[in-house]
Amino acid sequence: MGRALLWLFAILIVICAVWYLWPAKADPAYWDEPEPPEMTGVLEPRGRLAQAEQIGAGAVMSSEDIAIGPDGAVYAGQPDGRLVRLRPGSDTVETVADVSNYPVLGLQWTPEGDLAAMAPDGLYRVNVGTGESELLTNAYDGEPFGFGDDLDVADDGTIYFTDATSKWGAGSESGPDYVMDMVENRPWGALYAYHPDTGETALLLDNLYFANGVAMAADGRSVFVAETFRYRIQRYWLDGPNAGAAEIIAENLPGIPDGVMSDRQGKLYVAMDTQRSPVLAFLHENPFLTKMITKLPRGLWLRAGPSSGFVLVMNEEGDYLDSYHDPDGRFGMIANAVPEGEYVWIGSLTAPVIGRYRAPDRQ
């Protein structure tokens, strides 16, 4: 028995040594996360998204971003690279275009009536009438984008978009590589502008922590960008005395922000994948342990538990105005909230459904 225990101990030592010496893909940084704000007042989880309609349930794969057409048709990007459409009053899904070999993550109308579509491999323009798609840009200064994510379009047609992380790509069969960006917690993201009149792509802001949602300000003089794994939103000034400068308008957000949409009347709708996670805080505060965990198969990583997604409504100064919470996880990880008329449309990263909520602040 004693010899068997010695052999077992020796084997464990060898396994631990190999685990320690095995090279890690990620190089996590330390960050002492602030305590998230209490979910009280306008943040109180009152479960109002229980009243939201489910549209296209089971017919769509997910609905990372949504665009509503002039005729009321609903367009949604799909994880297999398609753009699909649901006509008013119908749950039948039509494939409008095969845009990319990667997920379609961002959608917005251009002044010409086309849809600008963002995928990890680049920015596309889609003619929804013919189904033709055109790659507009997929690189900056000769370097391909790593993970093109979200966008918004200015009145003059300029398209503002994010490359969430230049280091980690769209992923593989083992899982999405943005998870590695989440645990590494380093600023690999950037905000860009594409100018359709010249075909040029300009870098506006770099060193962002997973640059995600993009929204134009109501007056068009600035653009907002969400940093998912820093739980904050920055404003980049395009015009005026602060042109070219950035400022943080909201930090230590109560959830993990994904998409940001503007109603162009002074309100921002921030989609929160879920509330803040103690597991993610632990990983950020323990970089050595995090590095060791990333050497394990993905199935053995720490899990954050079920999603508790919600929509945070704020003004352009970062003041919280309202929130709509999903009490039973029907919409999974909420990826975008699109204000349109009296509704806020809910896009999901993980659930095969589109939501439509008659929001009290839209009446």
Side-chain angles (χ1 to χ4, degrees):
M1 178 65 76
R3 180 173 294 181
L5 286 174
L6 286 174
W7 273 108
L8 179 59
F9 185 63
I11 291 171
L12 287 175
I13 290 176
V14 170
I15 292 174
C16 289
V18 171
W19 185 20
Y20 177 78
L21 295 173
W22 194 269
K25 289 177 63 177
D27 180 23
Y30 172 80
W31 182 40
D32 185 11
E33 281 197 15
E35 286 292 323
E38 294 185 8
M39 304 298 283
T40 57
V42 297
L43 297 178
E44 182 181 349
R46 286 168 283 173
R48 289 188 289 182
L49 288 185
Q51 305 168 21
E53 301 173 66
Q54 289 187 316
I55 295 172
V60 295
M61 302 172 70
S62 63
S63 52
E64 169 83 14
D65 202 3
I66 299 163
I68 310 301
D71 61 351
V74 183
Y75 295 82
Q78 297 295 282
D80 61 1
R82 290 179 300 136
L83 174 68
V84 300
R85 174 173 55 210
L86 288 83
R87 298 286 188 182
S90 172
D91 273 349
T92 301
V93 172
E94 312 168 54
T95 296
V96 175
D98 290 308
V99 179
S100 169
N101 293 322
Y102 295 93
V104 175
L105 304 177
L107 294 174
Q108 190 57 264
W109 295 103
T110 70
E112 296 77 26
D114 295 325
L115 269 178
M118 198 72 217
D121 64 333
L123 172 65
Y124 294 82
R125 177 170 51 215
V126 182
N127 184 314
V128 299
T130 65
E132 296 178 354
S133 63
E134 174 190 4
L135 178 65
L136 300 178
T137 180
N138 63 355
Y140 172 73
D141 200 22
E143 291 294 324
F145 302 134
F147 194 96
D149 201 319
D150 205 359
L151 54 78
D152 202 356
V153 182
D155 291 342
D156 66 359
T158 303
I159 303 173
Y160 297 92
F161 66 93
T162 51
D163 184 16
T165 167
S166 60
K167 181 176 180 180
W168 303 102
S172 61
E173 293 181 0
S174 62
D177 276 353
Y178 68 77
V179 174
M180 301 298 286
D181 189 278
M182 175 183 70
V183 298
E184 190 169 63
N185 197 27
R186 295 184 183 274
W188 301 113
L191 173 68
Y192 293 93
Y194 173 78
H195 300 281
D197 51 342
T198 64
E200 294 181 352
T201 300
L203 172 65
L204 302 182
L205 193 61
D206 58 6
N207 293 316
L208 301 177
Y209 290 84
F210 204 83
N212 203 328
V214 183
M216 295 298 303
D219 61 6
R221 300 180 66 187
S222 60
V223 60
F224 301 92
V225 57
E227 293 178 271
T228 296
F229 302 131
R230 266 299 191 266
Y231 321 133
R232 68 187 183 191
I233 296 175
Q234 293 202 52
R235 180 205 295 259
Y236 179 86
W237 288 96
L238 303 167
D239 190 22
N242 296 320
E247 61 178 332
I248 297 170
I249 67 150
E251 56 186 336
N252 195 26
L253 292 169
I256 300 176
D258 196 323
V260 180
M261 294 290 289
S262 169
D263 67 356
R264 301 296 175 95
Q265 297 176 2
K267 289 182 181 177
L268 300 176
Y269 291 75
V270 186
M272 299 291 187
D273 286 333
T274 187
Q275 292 182 26
R276 294 269 290 278
S277 167
V279 170
L280 193 52
F282 172 84
L283 294 174
H284 289 162
E285 293 166 6
N286 295 275
F288 173 75
L289 290 176
T290 300
K291 178 184 287 190
M292 298 301 290
I293 290 171
T294 62
K295 298 180 186 184
L296 299 172
R298 294 276 180 95
L300 299 178
W301 286 23
L302 299 175
R303 300 294 174 183
S307 299
S308 50
F310 64 102
V311 177
L312 175 62
V313 186
M314 63 172 60
N315 62 25
E316 293 186 348
E317 287 69 49
D319 301 315
Y320 300 168
L321 304 177
D322 206 346
S323 63
Y324 322 135
H325 292 256
D326 180 12
D328 51 14
R330 289 191 306 154
F331 298 105
M333 297 178 70
I334 295 179
N336 253 304
V338 180
E340 185 72 28
E342 63 190 87
Y343 296 104
V344 172
W345 295 80
I346 308 297
S348 175
L349 176 64
T350 56
V353 69
I354 296 168
R356 185 174 72 170
Y357 176 57
R358 192 184 297 270
D361 66 303
R362 307 289 306 167
Q363 306 305 309

